[in-house]
Amino acid sequence: MNRRSFVRKSSLLAAGSLALPQISKSHNPPFSAMPVIVSTWDFGKAPHEAAWNAISKKGSALDACIAGVKVVEADETNHSVGIGGYPDRDGHVTLDACVMNEQGNCGGVFFVEEILHPSELARMVMEKTPHVYLAGQGAVQFALEQGFKKQNLLTTEAKEEWEKWCKQTNYKPRPMDEKNHDTVGMIAIDKLGNLSGCCSTSGWAYKMHGRVGDSPNIGSGLFVDNEIGAATSTGLGEYIIKICGAHLIVESMRNGRTPQEACEAACLRISSKYKNYKDFQACFIALGKDGTVGAYSLNKGFQYTVTTNGETLVYDAEYLE
Ligand code: GLY
């Protein structure tokens, strides 16, 4: 896969200022380049190929995002989404996901075990129930009613890693690093200019049983407003929830910020409120109604992937200095 790094210098007003920060221009795919697909991290070419196939064959932006996210969910080699995800501290793989479409409809599933594609299940919650969220056993029951089959999601490799972790005396969840990154968030705009998104994770490795992060939460892990744009997140969910990250970004865009500025402002919101921000990661990507892309992270190491004109590139995101 081709890689390109951006080196952009940002000049920011003081954190917490009401004025818009002055930030350099974001990566700007031209309007005519739509569709545009953006996702968190570098999960390889396959998810973006699946999404591109869907969107270029008259699929909606939501079809594309779910097609892409399902590839990541089915990939045993990543340990942060779907099968192969590291379990919680009791050895259970528990998955969270949500979707949101151009009509402002949304669905999410929390704390789901033994169902490979929580992204697709989240869509069914949106489309086939009067609710927005289903959690735990209720979500699994609904999945089975919809024809999903239960399967073991704890791979031998993930189980061995968990067993090693269990031998440690300090009972601490494992923080995210480049190897142990988390969460696929994918947002897209189709040829008609309609936006949607999907977000899926197995959450923080060795978390407490029952813990849920930002990813299935509409407004924290994902938000779409078809008049304005879309945003999604990855990183330590507890802090992203505290600022309602994805919603904050879309509202910033509504108030005039570019997607890049809005992602940067969300990181500044975290760093201004939580002085330990160097100790964890939080990352955001955003897509404007005109196809403009933004991305930013609290700390070094975040990458994101963009497809336009059928070409997929991975970028290093800027981060707070
Ligand atoms: N961002 C994923 C999580 O915190 O669960």
Side-chain angles (χ1 to χ4, degrees):
M1 179 171 289
N2 294 318
R3 287 161 186 276
R4 201 191 312 160
S5 296
F6 285 129
V7 180
R8 293 188 300 256
K9 284 284 159 217
S10 304
S11 128
L12 300 173
L13 295 183
S17 160
L18 286 178
L20 296 179
Q22 303 300 303
I23 299 171
S24 59
K25 289 215 170 10
S26 65
H27 170 55
N28 278 323
F31 184 84
S32 59
M34 282 190 218
V36 181
I37 300 163
V38 195
S39 72
T40 54
W41 304 107
D42 175 6
F43 283 101
K45 267 191 170 174
H48 274 249
E49 271 169 10
W52 185 258
N53 283 341
I55 214 163
S56 51
K57 286 187 188 135
K58 295 202 181 144
S60 66
L62 184 64
D63 293 333
C65 291
I66 293 176
V69 165
K70 281 176 73 176
V71 173
V72 185
E73 289 173 340
D75 177 3
E76 292 188 12
T77 65
N78 79 70
H79 299 300
S80 54
V81 181
I83 190 165
Y86 286 139
D88 64 20
R89 69 184 192 181
D90 299 339
H92 300 269
V93 178
T94 70
L95 305 180
D96 308 316
C98 71
V99 297
M100 190 158 187
N101 71 9
E102 75 282 357
Q103 291 164 335
N105 291 323
C106 50
V109 290
F110 294 53
F111 189 51
V112 176
E113 293 185 57
E114 298 182 297
I115 300 295
L116 177 61
H117 290 304
S119 57
E120 203 170 27
L121 186 58
R123 181 182 197 156
M124 288 192 179
V125 171
M126 175 179 81
E127 291 179 349
K128 298 192 173 188
T129 80
H131 307 303
V132 168
Y133 295 139
L134 289 178
Q137 276 312 309
V140 173
Q141 186 185 325
F142 174 66
L144 299 177
E145 284 163 15
Q146 296 301 315
F148 287 74
K149 300 277 180 261
K150 277 192 179 185
Q151 74 178 83
N152 176 32
L153 303 178
L154 183 61
T155 58
T156 307
E157 193 191 337
K159 186 162 183 274
E160 283 171 4
E161 283 296 312
W162 169 68
E163 283 166 350
K164 274 191 232 158
W165 176 84
C166 285
K167 291 194 185 115
Q168 296 170 6
T169 46
N170 60 338
Y171 207 51
K172 249 174 106 178
R174 182 158 131 182
M176 191 177 67
D177 57 31
E178 276 172 37
K179 205 166 150 228
N180 174 39
H181 60 58
D182 76 336
T183 312
V184 58
M186 189 175 274
I187 46 181
I189 187 162
D190 66 20
K191 278 183 207 153
L192 300 175
N194 285 324
L195 289 146
S196 289
C198 177
C199 188
S200 181
T201 191
S202 54
W204 198 356
Y206 320 136
K207 62 198 174 186
M208 287 174 70
H209 189 55
R211 179 267 187 191
V212 174
D214 56 315
S215 304
N217 274 298
I218 298 297
S220 299
L222 175 70
F223 196 72
V224 177
D225 184 322
N226 204 42
E227 288 174 19
I228 306 296
T232 186
S233 59
T234 174
L236 189 54
E238 279 71 3
Y239 287 91
I240 295 165
I241 291 168
K242 285 172 187 171
I243 64 154
C244 281
H247 185 258
L248 178 68
I249 288 170
V250 173
E251 290 309 298
S252 291
M253 287 157 60
R254 191 191 307 280
N255 289 327
R257 287 189 171 113
T258 65
Q260 180 65 27
E261 290 169 343
C263 289
E264 198 159 343
C267 289
L268 278 170
R269 179 71 62 89
I270 294 176
S271 67
S272 65
K273 281 186 177 288
Y274 305 104
K275 297 304 171 200
N276 60 334
Y277 73 94
K278 285 282 168 202
D279 299 337
F280 61 90
Q281 181 63 298
C283 323
F284 301 99
I285 57 173
L287 189 51
K289 185 69 179 166
D290 63 356
T292 307
V293 175
Y296 207 82
S297 59
L298 262 188
N299 290 298
K300 193 176 176 190
F302 176 49
Q303 292 187 310
Y304 62 106
T305 306
V306 181
T307 301
T308 45
N309 289 319
E311 182 186 40
T312 300
L313 294 169
V314 177
Y315 298 88
D316 292 324
E318 285 198 351
Y319 52 96
L320 289 179
E321 301 285 351

